[in-house]
Amino acid sequence: MVRALKITIITCLSQHGIKRQHVSDAAKSAKIQRDKKKIAHYRNLTDACLDLRDSHTYTQDAYDKTSKLLEENPEFNAIWNYRRDILESWQSNNKDIVTHLLEELNLSMGLLKRFPKCYWIWSHRVWVLFKLESLNKPQWSTELMIVAKMLEYDLRNYHGWSYRRFIVDNIEKAETSATTTANEDEQILALVKINSKEFEYTTSKINNISNFSAWHNRSQLIPKIYKLFQLLKDKSLFPQLQPIFLSPYSLLQHELDLVKTGMYVDADDSSVWLYLSWLLTDKFFVESFESTQNYKDVLLQQLNIVEELNELEKDDHPKGWDNRWCLKAMILIRTLLDDSPENDDLTKNWLKRLIDIDPLRKNKYMDQLNGKLVIVSI
Amino acid sequence: MALVKEKHIQFIKSLNDDVTEQMIEYWLSEHLRLNGIYWGLTAVLLLQEPSTLDQQEVIKFVLKCWDLKQGGFAPFPRHDAHMLSTLSGIQILANYGAWDVLNEKKQDLVKFIKGLQLPNGSFQGDRFGEVDTRFSYNAVSSLAILGELTKDVTEPALEFVLRCQNFDGGFGMVPGAESHAAQVFTCIGFLAITDNLHHIDVDKIGSWLSDRQVESGGLNGRPEKLPDVCYSWWVLSSLAMIGKAHWIDFDKLEQYILSCQDTENGGISDRPDNECDVFHTCFGLTGLSLMNNEKYSMLSIDPIYCMPKEVTKKFDKWKQSTT
Ligand SMILES: [Zn+2]
């Protein structure tokens, strides 16, 4: 009877990218036959769990049933909720739930391997970790190793990177609160240690392979580590970082070298260009120059590098076309150099070339050409 | 390729046929049912075939999803209320103009949504603490549709959303998280609803958004990722909200969406020749409507609410002072 409520989502959100198949009627009937048993079992289990929940049953048996159901369908968020309520109830009845919480970590780990993009599993794990911390059994350091493994499977996993930053945040909090009896210097040392490891981690992820997630994380880490490094008493403990984090200028030079390598590896990798625009425009770097002339010198030097690369790209292109990202970067840099870019013939010329080689975005370039906007970003 | 309108209506209809219920996938996707109905309803409304779904049955179902304990909508009867399904429930009722069925539930909804706001202005999806800029959008969109938006909610919420902006102009799920086109939609949508678009550099974010278009004409969600039909909506609507929709190539995007149709059984998939689903069917069609609704005899879509403009123009948005 309730026909209108059947709308189903066979391949949604977490299951992108499944090849289309036109199944025959025979195949469809076969599937229906196969699914009969599965559906009966699944519905029984669902009803059993929801009945137990509605009768406020917080027993081991109920808990085990939810494990079974979540193994079959980790998207069932109401069951995750029920499971958390069971644990809460045990806790308020003075039952030791640490073992169970560790079990939660195992269950969710197994599920994340199969469903790495399922929001509910990630957020359940976060809930469990906070619970463990409140019981003085923090797991943050182990968790960092686990998320490193998760990111090995998919280096751009959005959840994975967010989770990594979340874990680092909490390691920091734990470090600074655990050492409250120790002095501030030791706390700073601990924070530099954690963050420099993260910095090295991003370095290892941007070598030879496009990974904007790592570049992005780097943009978060640099100002943070720099600030900590300033406060650090004994900088010689970090011989590799010391010359890099000497000043925003030394950092800029170090990062510009990395970017140069990146753009020569693949001039079409937009990640590198976005990062370059950050380096050349963010106030962390720009405001640290001793004089405008120093800033202009760096810009001119970068303009030369990009123009050179563009010439190489043109040689490689069958029609002798410019590289789109090189042109965009050249326009950005000249705009940063020039007080009145709208009158600059060279910039106009580059914009006209972009209109030809990148027609998808021609209206944006037209707007730029007509002075409707000056984009100080790539 | 042409739009196979009749086939798409058939596709949505087929999601309700007797066969569907006999597939295990139907049962495994209960947690998205109310969202799924919103997607299907949006599709048939845009195609001007509202009778594809039985209005009375749909409304009855929405009410069955009411979570008495929490005072919000669950995605399925007996499941738990959540910010995501609550917005879908409200959108479905708004599309039907079925406000009378809410009665005292309306104030419960307002309480439920406002109750999920945390001290830093962010919103959690339910009582268990997951924070995401998606929920900031869900909250203000729901309240605006109900005409219950108030500054005491939007001001701290704005502060949080702005903290989620990155150097590339885009927005992430939480402060510090990488820019992602779907999160950009929720954050720009949040700013548009709360009259706060002036807080962002629209040229910068517009530039990042226009770079999401790839050679095939489709749009991706982040740098160096594959295109996907659902981003036709997240990216295009974001551009439209900041007045920069012309910064991408409409003809090529249109061709891309059309190439993702299943011309035999109807429906639209994420990429050409992939399995179709109601989610991508909806967002493929909303994309086409936003670019050129007249060409396809579709209703015009509102980029902010992802609902027909003829519905959204009736929203009160801000709560009228009762004094
Ligand atoms: Zn998609």
Side-chain angles (χ1 to χ4, degrees), chain A residues 2 22 52 96 154 237:
Chain A
V2 270
H22 286 152
L52 287 165
D96 178 18
D154 174 8
L237 289 170

Side-chain angles (χ1 to χ4, degrees), chain A residues 16, chain B residues 228 230 279-280:
Chain A
H16 278 99
Chain B
D228 177 338
C230 61
F279 175 79
H280 290 96

Side-chain angles (χ1 to χ4, degrees), chain A residues 331 334 338 340-353 369:
Chain A
I331 292 165
R334 266 195 85 88
D338 198 335
S340 50
E342 61 279 10
N343 299 322
D344 183 44
D345 286 337
L346 202 51
T347 306
K348 281 187 181 170
N349 209 4
W350 289 338
L351 281 168
K352 282 179 194 153
R353 277 196 256 163
L369 203 54

Side-chain angles (χ1 to χ4, degrees), chain B residues 3 5 20 71 172 204 206 229 242 247 252 266 285 293 305 320:
Chain B
L3 179 72
K5 195 171 167 172
T20 304
K204 195 174 193 179
V229 157
I242 57 170
W247 282 7
K252 290 205 72 171
L285 293 173
N293 67 297
Y305 296 98
Q320 310 297 314

Side-chain angles (χ1 to χ4, degrees), chain A residues 3 7 11 16-18 20 22 51 53-54 81 85 156 158 213 216 270 324 361 363-364 367, chain B residues 16 33 78 80 127 176 178 207 210-211 222-224 228 246-247 262 269-270 273-275 277 280:
Chain A
R3 301 178 68 86
I7 288 212
T11 66
H16 278 99
I18 295 171
R20 188 181 296 163
H22 286 152
D51 288 347
R53 179 199 64 178
D54 289 349
N81 293 350
D85 282 338
R156 292 294 305 279
Y158 192 80
S213 306
H216 164 83
S270 60
R324 162 187 159 207
R361 281 157 281 269
N363 290 333
K364 187 188 96 173
D367 281 359
Chain B
N16 273 337
R33 195 58 36 86
R78 299 190 79 190
D80 293 346
R127 65 198 162 99
E178 183 185 345
S207 210
S210 70
D211 277 325
R222 288 188 282 159
E224 311 305 320
D228 177 338
H246 62 294
W247 282 7
D262 181 339
S269 50
D270 57 348
D273 301 318
N274 277 354
E275 191 76 53
D277 59 76
H280 290 96

